[in-house]
Amino acid sequence: MVVRAAGDQVQAALHNGLCQDGSVFDDLLLIVRMLRSPRGCPWDREQTHSSIRADLLEETYELAEAIDLDSTELLREETGDVLLQTVLHSQISSEEGRYDMNDVINELCNKLIIRHPHVFGTATAEGSGEALANWDAVKSATKGRKT
């Protein structure tokens, strides 16, 4: 897969093997690490969870708008922008020694398995209503609260 953009910087990144046939997700993680590195982008290095909080909200609203518009192109773009926010928050936390993207993904995988006992366990769900009831019951039991 090749990044769809023009310019010398993209060509240089491609020459260095980024965003080619390997794991493009790993490439994204590497790019964000590079942006926040001492040789990276001053703006990216300065960001904190608090400073990009509004960006996360803005990108989420833009994704919601793309859904409302039923635009494949906007949906793909804005999904990527929300993903970038997730990766940035994970990278910041990794630098702080708190957690990294692998921790985020591992926790999400565990949550999906635990909250789908009708897929990964012995529970049943004949329809989406029962599946949602399973999700809510497990969530309530594991979190000790409803949200």
Side-chain angles (χ1 to χ4, degrees):
M1 180 171 190
V2 176
V3 174
R4 290 188 180 130
D8 294 337
Q9 297 99 347
V10 172
Q11 293 306 315
L14 292 174
H15 178 70
N16 290 327
L18 292 175
C19 299
Q20 292 190 14
D21 289 334
S23 169
V24 293
F25 187 75
D26 287 341
D27 290 345
L28 171 61
L29 298 179
L30 176 59
I31 290 166
V32 170
R33 279 196 306 273
M34 290 170 68
L35 290 172
R36 289 189 49 84
S37 74
R39 291 183 36 140
C41 172
W43 183 90
D44 286 287
R45 281 195 310 265
E46 291 175 0
Q47 300 316 301
T48 66
H49 292 296
S50 296
S51 70
I52 60 173
R53 180 183 183 278
D55 299 328
L56 173 61
L57 295 173
E58 178 182 345
E59 297 301 349
T60 302
Y61 282 117
E62 289 177 2
L63 177 58
E65 180 181 23
I67 292 167
D68 293 344
L69 294 172
D70 194 26
S71 168
T72 300
E73 294 79 16
L74 282 176
L75 189 57
R76 182 178 54 240
E77 177 185 349
E78 299 305 337
T79 298
D81 290 347
V82 171
L83 176 60
L84 173 59
Q85 292 299 311
T86 302
V87 172
L88 277 169
H89 281 285
S90 296
Q91 179 60 33
I92 292 166
S93 287
S94 177
E95 293 164 8
E96 296 170 346
R98 296 165 69 186
Y99 64 86
D100 64 16
M101 197 67 205
N102 284 329
D103 297 323
V104 171
I105 293 170
N106 186 57
E107 188 168 318
L108 176 58
C109 288
N110 288 333
K111 180 187 294 185
L112 290 171
I113 292 168
I114 290 166
R115 293 193 186 169
H116 288 88
H118 52 283
V119 176
F120 301 103
T122 58
T124 60
E126 295 302 319
S128 60
E130 288 181 32
L132 185 56
N134 285 341
W135 176 281
D136 288 340
V138 172
K139 182 176 180 179
S140 180
T142 58
K143 287 193 170 262
R145 69 184 197 281
K146 286 189 173 185
T147 56

